[in-house]
């Protein structure tokens, strides 16, 4: 691949794929940018006049905006925290030789195959329902007042549901990373006098850092746009207590039929995602080098 | 102090007995080499001593104190692994400091020991690099440095040189030997390479399928191998083993004669044959002689500048007092 000739050939070969991908990305992006500068409401037929930054102004001054922004970050941060820590512990557990290892591993992966809407519905109706839910039954069994998860702590409940969905992914990646750890390194640490905890923190955790970085980056991409779980469980409420940016865009563009405002929200979401990405790469991107 | 005694030590993995019960004493300050073909249980034996494997039976004592049930860290032994097992995310300095950090050695003492180890091992310029940025030989030295700073009762090496190229291996062999002279600490060294064993050991333990075939100094093993296995294993090139009428004539089932104990001549001798391959090393020449009627090939060592070549007809004369005689069971006939 080193000669001039082969480089040129390589560029030519990958050109079709790159062009298709570029179109796939550029066209919707440009259209969204374009719509966000129009007064374009489906309830007001007629013209779609150019209004410049007016939509952005409305979006930023919307009282729900700050809440949605904070909720988005809390949702991402909370789920990452639970899945990384929980995933590491689960991986540690699954890495131990035990009876029925194959079955247990399969079961752990299962939540990942459940569709978000379905799992959110199951959680909402079978577990968290204050009257019929499993948790309510358990609470009554030990004689305490059932807790109405989705009404009292809507965002925390959604974080819990989403974390449950993503835990298998984190566990799986961290487990493979853990299995790739050279056993001689652990033995060397053992000879060097490191106890189980020291071995975990000095040898295992640094070894997992690269895999954890991958988990964080991939999950962040998906978690920034959590939608189905919110729609199915709380519909963003009570009030806007569990509304994130994606859901706010949905409220404005689809529930209020305001394409212009919705597009502006979409652009803001893109910018936020990029800011988060830059911070992430700054903080942990160096783990991916070499 | 580092006197290690194994009494009836035995190890099985499931139903497979890898080490049948064996006794062995490693004296304080000795350089002991376990040598044997791949898969004979050398690493397993070393790991039993280190405490990385539990014995299936028997007792291990270190300096007279029972160590059989002690965890590895409590045995006061340091190990250098074949893969070096350096911690890839730590700098060389941190790697070397790790065992001291675990033992809560005071900072300035740590610093002093790192400096002196780095100086002794020529690592001073590399202390702030990661293991990934070092050559094989340097990694090897870091692994040794990490072992030295613990000031262990004994060092355990598991084929430490097998990942190095030939030239480096010779150099590191010397360095480890010098280290042993300087520290006078017990060293237990595992290798499948009999040259390493011969050049480094005070005492060689030859293993086959978990059995100790013979224990002795390099020259003892060279001069009087107790059986055919040791005879064939120790010495390079290998001892010539001849059976049939020639052996029977000397009252043995098999006789062995080392290549360096056969004289070659173009005029007269006890045996004769035709030179097949001639390996000219400069200092010596090794001839593989065919059609002797004794064995497929007889290897002989001759002077480096001897003027003999492929296809030449030669006469061979063994030194009579250097002929080893073995019975049907492969044991030396005294
Ligand atoms: N953990 C283990 N489980 C089962 N068998 C093992 C294990 N470790 C080593 N063995 C077996 O024990 C024998 C000796 O292995 P080893 O001590 O590594 O040999 P060497 O170091 O002399 O090459 C081999 O036959 C190997 O397959
Ligand atoms: Mg081995």
């Amino acid at each position: 691949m080193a000669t001039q000739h082969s480089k040129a050939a390589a560029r030519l070969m990958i050109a079709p794929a790159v062009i298709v991908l570029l179109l796939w990305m550029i066209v919707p992006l440009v259209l969204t940018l374009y719509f966000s500068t129009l007064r374009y409401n489906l309830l007001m037929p007629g013209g779609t006049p150019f209004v410049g930054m007016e939509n952005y102004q409305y979006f930023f001054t919307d009282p729900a905006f700050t809440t949605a922004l904070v909720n988005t970050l809390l949702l991402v941060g909370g789920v990452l925290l639970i899945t990384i820590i929980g995933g590491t512990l689960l991986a540690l557990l699954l890495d131990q030789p035990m009876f029925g290892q194959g079955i247990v591993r399969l079961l752990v992966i299962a939540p990942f195959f459940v569709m978000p809407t379905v799992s959110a519905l199951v959680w909402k109706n079978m577990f968290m329902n204050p009257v019929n839910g499993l948790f309510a039954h358990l609470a009554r069994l030990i004689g305490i007042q059932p807790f109405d998860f989705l009404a009292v702590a809507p965002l925390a409940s959604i974080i819990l549901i989403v974390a449950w969905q993503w835990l298998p992914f984190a566990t799986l990646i961290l487990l493979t990373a853990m299995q790739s750890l050279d056993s001689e390194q652990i033995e060397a640490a053992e000879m060097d006098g490191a106890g189980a905890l020291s071995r975990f923190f000095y040898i295992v955790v640094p070894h997992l850092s690269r895999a954890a970085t991958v988990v964080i980056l991939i999950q962040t991409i998906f978690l920034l746009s959590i939608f189905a779980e919110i729609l199915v469980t709380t519909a963003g409420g009570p009030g806007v207590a569990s509304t994130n940016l994606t859901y706010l865009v949905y409220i404005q563009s689809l529930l209020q039929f305001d394409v212009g405002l919705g597009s502006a929200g979409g652009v803001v979401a893109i910018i936020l995602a990029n800011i988060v990405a830059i911070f992430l790469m700054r903080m942990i991107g160096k783990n991916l080098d070499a | 102090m580092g006197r290690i005694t194994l009494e009836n030590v035995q190890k099985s993995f499931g139903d497979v007995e890898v080490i049948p019960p064996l006794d062995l004493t490693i004296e304080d300050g000795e350089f002991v080499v376990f040598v044997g073909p791949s898969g004979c249980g050398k690493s397993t034996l070393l790991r039993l001593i280190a405490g990385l494997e539990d014995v299936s039976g028997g007792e291990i004592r270190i300096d007279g104190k029972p160590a059989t049930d002690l965890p590895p860290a409590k045995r006061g032994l340091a190990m250098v692994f074949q893969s070096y097992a350096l911690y890839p995310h730590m700098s060389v300095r941190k790697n070397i400091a790790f065992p001291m950090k675990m033992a809560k050695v005071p900072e300035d003492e740590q610093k002093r020991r790192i400096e002196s180890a780095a100086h002794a091992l020529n690592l001073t310029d590399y202390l702030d690099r990661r293991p990934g940025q070092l050559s094989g030989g340097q990694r090897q030295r870091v692994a040794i440095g990490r072992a030295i700073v613990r000031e262990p009762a004994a060092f355990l090496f598991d084929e430490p040189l097998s990942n190095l190229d030939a030239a480096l291996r010779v150099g590191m062999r010397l360095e480890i030997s010098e280290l042993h002279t300087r520290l006078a600490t017990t060293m237990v060294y595992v290798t499948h390479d009999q040259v390493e064993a011969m050049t480094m050991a005070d005492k060689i333990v030859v293993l086959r399928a978990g059995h100790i075939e013979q224990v002795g100094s390099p020259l003892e093993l060279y001069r009087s191998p107790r059986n055919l296995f040791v005879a064939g294993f120790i010495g390079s090139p290998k001892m010539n083993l001849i059976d049939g009428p020639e052996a029977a004539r000397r009252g043995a089932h098999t006789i062995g004669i080392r290549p360096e104990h056969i004289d070659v001549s173009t005029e007269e001798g006890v045996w004769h044959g035709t030179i097949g391959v001639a390996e000219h090393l400069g200092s010596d020449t090794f001839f593989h002689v065919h059609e002797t009627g004794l064995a497929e090939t007889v290897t002989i060592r001759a002077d480096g500048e001897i003027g003999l070549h492929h296809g030449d007809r030669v006469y061979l004369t063994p030194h009579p007092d250097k002929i080893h005689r073995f019975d049907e069971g492969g044991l030396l006939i005294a």
Side-chain angles (χ1 to χ4, degrees):
Chain A
M1 284 294 284
T3 64
Q4 283 293 331
H5 183 73
S6 62
K7 269 187 202 158
R11 286 208 190 100
L12 198 69
M13 298 293 180
I14 60 171
V18 171
I19 289 169
V20 168
L21 274 177
L22 218 60
L23 285 178
W24 199 264
M25 189 191 80
I26 292 289
V27 172
L29 182 65
V30 168
L31 275 180
T32 309
L33 276 172
Y34 171 63
F35 287 151
S36 72
T37 59
L38 304 180
R39 179 176 300 147
Y40 186 2
N41 192 318
L42 299 178
L43 293 180
M44 292 187 277
T48 51
F50 179 80
V51 291
M53 303 303 281
E54 195 184 88
N55 284 322
Y56 290 93
Q57 200 185 336
Y58 280 126
F59 192 79
F60 282 127
T61 52
D62 186 327
F65 171 72
T66 333
T67 319
L69 187 67
V70 172
N71 283 349
T72 307
L73 296 178
L74 281 179
L75 189 57
V76 174
V79 174
L80 282 180
L81 205 68
I82 296 175
T83 50
I84 293 293
I85 294 178
T88 308
L89 296 179
L90 262 180
L92 212 54
L93 199 68
L94 292 177
D95 199 26
Q96 310 298 322
M98 59 177 168
F99 180 73
Q101 200 166 41
I103 298 280
V104 173
R105 284 187 188 166
L106 201 69
L107 285 179
V108 167
I109 304 163
F112 207 47
F113 296 116
V114 181
M115 280 176 281
T117 35
V118 176
S119 78
L121 274 176
V122 168
W123 275 93
K124 178 186 179 184
N125 296 323
M126 292 181 67
F127 289 107
M128 293 176 165
N129 188 296
V131 182
N132 295 316
L134 200 63
F135 293 148
H137 279 297
L138 284 179
R140 275 195 293 272
L141 207 65
I142 56 171
I144 55 172
Q145 192 69 28
F147 186 72
D148 190 354
F149 288 92
L150 292 170
V152 182
L155 191 65
S157 304
I158 289 173
I159 289 178
L160 184 69
I161 296 173
V162 176
W164 178 81
Q165 284 170 358
W166 281 93
L167 196 56
F169 174 75
T171 306
L172 213 59
I173 303 255
L174 292 170
L175 179 63
T176 26
M178 216 171 271
Q179 285 170 337
S180 74
L181 178 57
D182 179 13
S183 65
E184 285 201 343
Q185 261 181 52
I186 290 289
E187 288 176 345
E190 213 174 318
M191 299 275 320
D192 283 346
L197 272 185
S198 301
R199 290 204 294 275
F200 178 71
F201 284 109
Y202 286 109
I203 313 295
V204 178
V205 169
H207 176 76
L208 292 184
S209 66
R210 189 184 293 198
T213 307
V214 171
V215 171
I216 290 174
L217 289 177
I218 292 180
Q219 286 199 10
T220 304
I221 295 170
F222 286 92
L223 295 178
L224 277 170
S225 57
I226 286 291
F227 174 74
E229 292 83 346
I230 299 177
L231 180 74
V232 170
T233 52
T234 62
V240 287
S242 59
T243 298
N244 68 354
L245 271 184
T246 321
Y247 200 79
L248 188 65
V249 172
Y250 162 75
I251 293 177
Q252 301 200 323
S253 60
L254 282 157
L255 296 186
Q256 298 170 14
F257 299 97
D258 194 335
V259 178
L261 194 54
S263 299
V267 173
V268 171
I270 293 171
I271 293 170
L272 176 77
N274 279 288
I275 293 174
V276 171
I278 289 170
F279 268 102
L280 274 180
M281 290 311 277
R282 275 278 167 85
M283 276 192 299
I284 58 177
K286 64 177 188 308
N287 283 343
L288 294 180
D289 293 347
Chain B
M1 283 292 286
R3 184 171 192 271
I4 302 171
T5 2
L6 310 186
E7 288 164 18
N8 270 317
V9 165
Q10 185 256 338
K11 176 70 186 174
S12 308
F13 290 108
D15 294 336
V16 188
E17 186 175 62
V18 175
I19 311 270
L22 62 76
D23 294 306
L24 181 67
T25 303
I26 295 164
E27 298 296 342
D28 183 36
E30 223 173 16
F31 197 120
V32 174
V33 175
F34 295 169
V35 67
S38 266
C40 71
K42 308 176 298 281
S43 299
T44 308
L45 192 55
L46 196 72
R47 291 165 58 83
L48 287 173
I49 296 174
L52 294 172
E53 302 278 0
D54 292 323
V55 297
S56 308
E59 275 289 320
I60 297 175
R61 286 173 204 283
I62 298 174
D63 291 330
K65 292 187 287 286
T68 320
D69 299 318
L70 284 183
K74 295 268 157 59
R75 298 191 182 195
L77 309 174
M79 182 144 164
V80 175
F81 292 84
Q82 185 171 4
S83 68
Y84 316 138
L86 300 178
Y87 311 126
H89 51 276
M90 296 183 197
S91 65
V92 168
R93 187 191 303 280
K94 291 220 170 101
N95 261 286
I96 297 179
F98 189 74
M100 295 190 282
K101 189 168 162 184
M102 291 298 117
K104 305 211 165 50
V105 174
E107 281 292 325
D108 43 342
E109 172 66 10
Q110 283 192 23
K111 211 168 189 161
R112 194 188 61 73
R113 287 199 213 168
I114 294 174
E115 294 299 325
S116 101
H119 184 73
L121 293 165
N122 263 327
L123 286 170
T124 313
D125 296 338
Y126 306 103
L127 279 177
D128 293 314
R129 295 216 195 154
R130 297 275 182 97
Q133 299 163 310
L134 300 179
S135 71
Q138 290 164 340
R139 283 182 215 180
Q140 180 65 77
R141 286 205 285 267
V142 176
I144 294 175
R146 193 173 63 182
I148 291 179
V149 294
R150 292 182 50 198
E151 303 181 345
F155 291 92
L156 311 178
F157 294 90
D158 190 353
E159 311 218 11
L161 307 186
S162 56
N163 288 339
L164 301 179
D165 63 54
L168 219 54
R169 213 175 301 166
V170 175
M172 281 308 295
R173 215 159 71 191
L174 269 176
E175 282 191 41
I176 294 177
S177 293
E178 275 165 15
L179 192 70
H180 178 247
T181 324
R182 194 153 48 78
L183 299 177
T185 310
T186 313
M187 292 191 175
V188 185
Y189 187 104
V190 161
T191 178
H192 63 264
D193 179 355
Q194 62 91 27
V195 176
E196 273 176 33
M198 293 295 280
T199 49
M200 301 171 84
D202 294 326
K203 182 158 100 188
I204 297 181
V205 178
V206 182
L207 291 165
R208 174 169 60 163
H211 282 282
I212 295 184
E213 295 287 320
Q214 190 169 359
V215 179
S217 73
L219 279 183
E220 274 166 28
L221 298 193
Y222 175 80
R223 277 200 209 110
S224 37
R226 214 173 63 191
N227 57 31
L228 271 178
F229 178 78
V230 179
F233 198 80
I234 299 289
S236 168
K238 275 188 186 340
M239 182 188 281
N240 296 297
L241 297 173
I242 299 163
D243 33 42
E246 188 64 28
R249 209 161 59 77
R250 289 163 212 261
H253 183 262
T254 308
I255 56 169
I257 178 82
R258 295 195 185 277
E260 52 271 42
H261 297 145
I262 301 177
D263 288 332
V264 60
S265 146
T266 46
E267 281 125 32
E268 55 173 357
V270 184
W271 304 325
H272 57 83
T274 313
I275 293 178
V277 176
E279 297 174 300
H280 298 279
L281 300 187
S283 58
D284 303 297
T285 306
F286 296 120
F287 294 114
H288 298 261
V289 181
H290 301 299
E291 296 160 23
T292 52
L294 304 166
E296 179 119 11
T297 40
V298 172
T299 313
I300 57 170
R301 196 190 82 180
D303 190 78
E305 314 207 1
I306 197 167
L308 292 172
H309 300 281
H310 171 79
D312 288 353
R313 189 138 185 89
V314 288
Y315 294 89
L316 311 174
T317 313
H319 303 182
D321 56 329
K322 298 287 167 120
I323 293 176
H324 307 267
R325 300 182 307 140
F326 301 95
D327 63 20
E328 295 90 69
L331 283 179
L332 187 73
I333 300 170

